[in-house]
Amino acid sequence: MNFLTELSQYMMENSSELFALTIEHILMVAYGIGLALLVGVPMGIIAARFEKLAPFIISITNILQLIPSLAMLAILMLYLGLGFETMVVGLFLYSLLPIVRNTYVGIKEVDPSIMEAGKGSGMTTFQLLRKVQLPLSIPFLMAGLRVASVIAIAVACIGPYIGAEGLGKEIISGISLQSEVKIYAGAIPATILAIIADLCLGGIEKKTKKRIA
Amino acid sequence: MIQLKDINKIYDDGFQALENINLTLEEGKINVLIGPSGCGKTTTMKLLNRLTEYTDGEILVDGESIQDLNPIEIRRKMGYVIQNIGLFPHMSIYDNVATVPKLLKWDKRKIKQKVHDLLHMVNLDPETYKGRYPSELSGGQQQRIGVIRALAAEPSTILMDEPFSALDPISREQLQDELVRLQEEINKTIVFVTHDMDEAIKIADQIILMKDGHIVQKGTPHDILANPANDFVKEFLGEDRLGSTLPSTSTFVNYNYPTITTDQTTNEAIEQMTSEQIDQLPVLDGDNRLQGMVQLYDLFRQQDQLIEAVMMNTNQHISEETETNQLVDIFTQKKEKYLPYVAKDGKFIGMIEQQQVFNSLQEFYRSKRGGQ
Ligand SMILES: Nc1ncnc2c1ncn2[C@@H]1O[C@H](COP(=O)(O)OP(=O)(O)O)[C@@H](O)[C@H]1O
Ligand SMILES: [Mg+2]
């Protein structure tokens, strides 16, 4: 039988299972990045506000990202046990660098004359942040988000090793069963997810940039 | 009224940007700070809304030291147009103009009314422009928005730092005219920074000329044109440029000024001066040559005499060959209100009034288009 028909037949027959895995994959990534936004944006703001802390904050997030993903997840598993949450924490740590760094750079890049206009209008430090610096750093943040999502979608594929499901489940069981069809059935949706994330967030980035330029 | 007293400003790196600045910024007037780049104009301006703090001295706003005022509140009360426009690129024109009223939590309807009025005032149709973003406007339009953003919260004082310097000459000219008109309408205290003397003379009520952190001279445009304090001021006024483009000397001459001849009597002279309401007359001989001058107050004590006997011989005159740009110098040195204007052959032509020279020069600057 032709490989492609075999693959599509397999995917059709297991469509509800694959769909559930895709949703779980997306959820892991979304939770991880959501957490990273929640923590990373304030860290980026703090780094921009207190210039002395910046090298410290940036290097910590930098080191986090240098740890090989499998090693990081294995270490997390030692403390957090197996499961979905462990994967989310791993993705969160991985996404931190692009988000912290881009928030920091975005705020730093705001044109000094625009800052002066805000300050000269009588904005408080907090109003300046909320009304000027953060909105103007959104294109940078979007760029960071895009990088973070693509990385997270890839890293999430090793989820099954630490007891989290997701599209990695198909790929990894495909490896152990030496089933080409299963590997592709996991790899194709994961790749499509990454492409969609890249295109959508890239589009939003461009749009926000255009308005501001 | 804003008063700066013995202000010194030393930046963190030890550079002394201002030294001993004493200055009163007049209420309801356009005060222009002018001087070469780096002389401390922007620094002086930023002291007023506490974007920069002075090292020592005192600044009083209506008698109150600005050290006792909250910087955030000062800034909301003083409009500020920064050197590079600085519109918020992510906000619509409406939101840009509404910045300070929103910070002050004005009622929404009041803000809307205000933004519309201001857009009308600078000839931008609110319906067309309020939803646009700064990048969709021309440089001149952006500059107008920068100016009305500073006016929105009805500040009593407006600080403007080289607001028109980046514009093409035509837009600049238009905005200068608009500012002068606006000032007559709204009567704010304006502090305006420029390095363009034409602009200063055109719009200023008071000019403050600075150099290397000092005030070199301050006064009305008239004062400065009439009595340039030193060579630096003269150079800044630009004598060369004055000479080549100014109206010729003859345009300032009053050809109908009454005269008297040496063989007439003092009584006739007194009668003529009182009926014409002037206090001096040029004395001519039979050939229309200038012989001297008589002053009304001298003649009261010397009635029934011949003019020839009592006149002051004078060689004080302006010759036909004098350039317009020299007129200012001559009047400054001679301290005379009127001087006779005399042809090459010594024949009297008319009188030139100091006041008229200065007024005409100021008018000339005001009307000059495309000044650099
Ligand atoms: N933050 C600063 N630190 C040190 N020196 C400064 C600072 N800001 C301005 N200066 C210096 O102070 C002088 C006056 O600057 P400024 O007031 O901006 O001049 P102007 O507006 O007249 O061109 C310049 O020599 C400038 O280099
Ligand atoms: Mg300046």
Side-chain angles (χ1 to χ4, degrees):
Chain A
M1 213 189 334
N2 183 310
F3 175 72
L4 278 180
T5 34
E6 195 184 336
L7 178 62
S8 49
Q9 197 177 344
Y10 175 85
M11 286 178 82
M12 224 92 89
E13 277 164 9
N14 297 279
S15 63
S16 61
E17 162 88 14
L18 281 173
F19 184 71
L21 290 177
T22 308
I23 294 298
E24 190 172 358
H25 204 99
I26 292 174
L27 281 180
M28 281 191 294
V29 170
Y31 283 134
I33 288 186
L35 270 180
L37 276 176
L38 235 51
V39 175
V41 171
M43 278 172 81
I45 293 170
I46 289 169
R49 179 94 183 77
F50 305 99
E51 200 50 48
K52 287 213 173 85
L53 290 178
F56 180 70
I57 291 176
I58 301 285
S59 16
I60 287 190
T61 54
N62 210 353
I63 289 168
L64 281 177
Q65 209 175 39
L66 289 176
I67 302 173
S69 45
L70 194 56
M72 159 106 84
L73 293 171
I75 293 167
L76 284 175
M77 191 188 64
L78 289 180
Y79 298 96
L80 302 174
L82 292 168
F84 181 84
E85 289 83 5
T86 310
M87 191 65 216
V88 169
V89 173
L91 294 179
F92 153 69
L93 292 176
Y94 254 92
S95 309
L96 220 41
L97 174 70
I99 287 171
V100 172
R101 190 184 48 203
N102 283 37
T103 304
Y104 169 78
V105 171
I107 290 177
K108 283 276 140 193
E109 284 288 301
V110 174
D111 183 344
S113 59
I114 291 170
M115 289 297 289
E116 198 179 301
K119 219 175 157 194
S121 301
M123 290 186 187
T124 61
T125 308
F126 180 69
Q127 286 167 332
L128 210 51
L129 184 67
R130 189 167 57 82
K131 293 178 170 239
V132 179
Q133 290 172 297
L134 283 183
L136 286 176
S137 62
I138 281 177
F140 289 88
L141 184 60
M142 292 313 293
L145 211 54
R146 180 171 138 215
V147 172
S149 322
V150 173
I151 295 175
I153 288 168
V155 172
C157 288
I158 51 180
Y161 286 126
I162 57 160
E165 302 211 312
L167 291 166
K169 191 179 169 200
E170 278 296 300
I171 301 171
I172 287 167
S173 72
I175 294 172
S176 45
L177 297 174
Q178 297 203 326
S179 155
E180 213 171 326
V181 168
K182 267 176 111 51
I183 293 177
Y184 274 107
I188 291 172
T191 310
I192 291 174
L193 277 185
I195 292 173
I196 290 175
D198 192 51
L199 287 179
C200 285
L201 293 168
I204 297 175
E205 181 193 338
K206 231 183 231 153
K207 220 172 176 178
T208 51
K209 213 180 244 166
K210 206 163 115 197
R211 164 137 303 170
I212 284 167
Chain B
M1 189 172 65
I2 302 172
Q3 290 164 289
L4 288 80
K5 294 185 171 169
D6 302 319
I7 291 292
N8 286 287
K9 168 66 188 176
I10 300 170
Y11 277 110
D12 292 341
D13 62 1
F15 179 78
Q16 177 144 20
L18 296 175
E19 198 174 339
N20 246 319
I21 299 292
N22 282 288
L23 181 60
T24 299
L25 299 167
E26 294 170 30
E27 191 89 47
K29 295 276 164 64
I30 301 184
N31 301 274
V32 175
L33 291 166
I34 188 168
S37 176
C39 69
K41 307 179 293 292
T42 299
T43 304
T44 307
M45 176 167 278
K46 285 190 191 169
L47 293 179
L48 304 179
N49 63 1
R50 294 190 61 182
L51 282 178
T52 301
E53 302 288 343
Y54 48 82
T55 311
D56 57 66
E58 196 176 30
I59 297 181
L60 302 175
V61 176
D62 296 328
E64 213 175 340
S65 166
I66 60 167
Q67 287 305 319
D68 301 334
L69 304 171
N70 178 333
I72 300 288
E73 277 166 30
I74 294 180
R75 291 174 199 150
R76 291 178 185 178
K77 278 190 211 143
M78 285 189 186
Y80 184 38
V81 184
I82 70 161
Q83 195 157 350
N84 308 310
I85 314 182
L87 294 185
F88 304 120
H90 60 297
M91 293 186 196
S92 66
I93 296 309
Y94 184 94
D95 288 335
N96 264 284
V97 177
T99 303
V100 185
K102 280 184 177 170
L103 292 174
L104 293 170
K105 303 206 162 48
W106 279 16
D107 177 66
K108 275 215 172 74
R109 248 182 313 163
K110 190 176 165 196
I111 296 181
K112 189 171 174 199
Q113 186 62 45
K114 190 75 203 175
V115 173
H116 279 225
D117 290 350
L118 287 168
L119 283 169
H120 274 304
M121 194 171 71
V122 292
N123 295 318
L124 293 171
D125 173 41
E127 293 313 321
T128 314
Y129 288 99
K130 69 180 181 187
R132 292 205 185 165
Y133 282 80
S135 59
E136 298 166 333
L137 265 54
S138 73
Q141 291 171 335
Q142 290 183 22
Q143 202 63 263
R144 286 175 166 82
I145 301 302
V147 172
I148 62 173
R149 178 175 64 180
L151 296 175
E154 298 175 356
S156 55
T157 307
I158 300 161
L159 312 176
M160 308 176 89
D161 196 350
E162 308 207 13
F164 308 146
S165 62
L167 295 179
D168 61 283
I170 292 175
S171 317
R172 186 187 318 151
E173 197 72 35
Q174 272 175 359
L175 280 172
Q176 289 165 352
D177 292 340
E178 270 174 42
L179 183 71
V180 171
R181 181 176 59 77
L182 212 69
Q183 165 62 8
E184 282 160 8
E185 215 171 283
I186 57 183
N187 222 24
K188 311 277 183 194
T189 305
I190 294 180
V191 184
F192 188 105
V193 166
T194 183
H195 58 254
D196 176 354
M197 199 57 172
D198 289 338
E199 184 166 77
I201 291 174
K202 183 170 166 184
I203 66 171
D205 295 303
Q206 177 181 221
I207 291 180
I208 300 114
L209 183 54
M210 298 180 66
K211 185 191 180 212
D212 299 336
H214 295 272
I215 294 178
V216 182
Q217 189 173 7
K218 57 191 171 193
T220 62
H222 179 149
D223 292 338
I224 294 196
L225 280 171
N227 300 305
N230 56 32
D231 288 345
F232 170 75
V233 180
K234 281 186 202 162
E235 196 180 315
F236 213 87
L237 287 171
E239 282 173 296
D240 297 347
R241 191 182 34 175
L242 289 179
S244 62
T245 56
L246 285 173
S248 80
T249 315
S250 61
T251 57
F252 302 111
V253 178
N254 179 352
Y255 294 97
N256 300 320
Y257 200 92
T259 58
I260 196 149
T261 51
T262 45
D263 56 1
Q264 288 180 276
T265 66
T266 52
N267 293 21
E268 286 173 288
I270 291 171
E271 199 177 308
Q272 202 169 354
M273 283 190 271
T274 45
S275 74
E276 301 272 352
Q277 300 193 331
I278 50 181
D279 59 7
Q280 52 187 335
L281 274 182
V283 181
L284 311 182
D285 66 10
D287 277 338
N288 259 354
R289 274 176 226 281
L290 179 70
Q291 299 297 309
M293 297 288 291
V294 286
Q295 306 281 340
L296 182 59
Y297 296 106
D298 296 339
L299 297 194
F300 280 136
R301 284 176 274 116
Q302 297 170 308
Q303 299 196 5
D304 297 315
Q305 298 195 39
L306 271 182
I307 293 291
E308 187 159 27
V310 301
M311 73 177 184
M312 294 185 305
N313 289 313
T314 180
N315 54 2
Q316 290 206 2
H317 65 264
I318 292 167
S319 95
E320 210 179 8
E321 290 149 316
T322 307
E323 301 277 354
T324 305
N325 59 341
Q326 297 171 310
L327 280 181
V328 172
D329 272 350
I330 293 172
F331 273 111
T332 308
Q333 283 160 17
K334 307 243 157 122
K335 307 234 183 304
E336 292 287 347
K337 282 200 299 186
Y338 285 93
L339 283 172
Y341 184 63
V342 174
K344 272 179 253 174
D345 58 6
K347 292 211 165 126
F348 176 81
I349 301 173
M351 291 289 274
I352 297 183
E353 187 190 356
Q354 180 225 40
Q355 186 68 37
Q356 154 123 53
V357 172
F358 294 134
N359 288 350
S360 308
L361 285 179
Q362 192 168 6
E363 197 56 41
F364 172 76
Y365 279 111
R366 280 189 200 270
S367 64
K368 195 166 152 234
R369 302 203 72 84
Q372 278 301 305

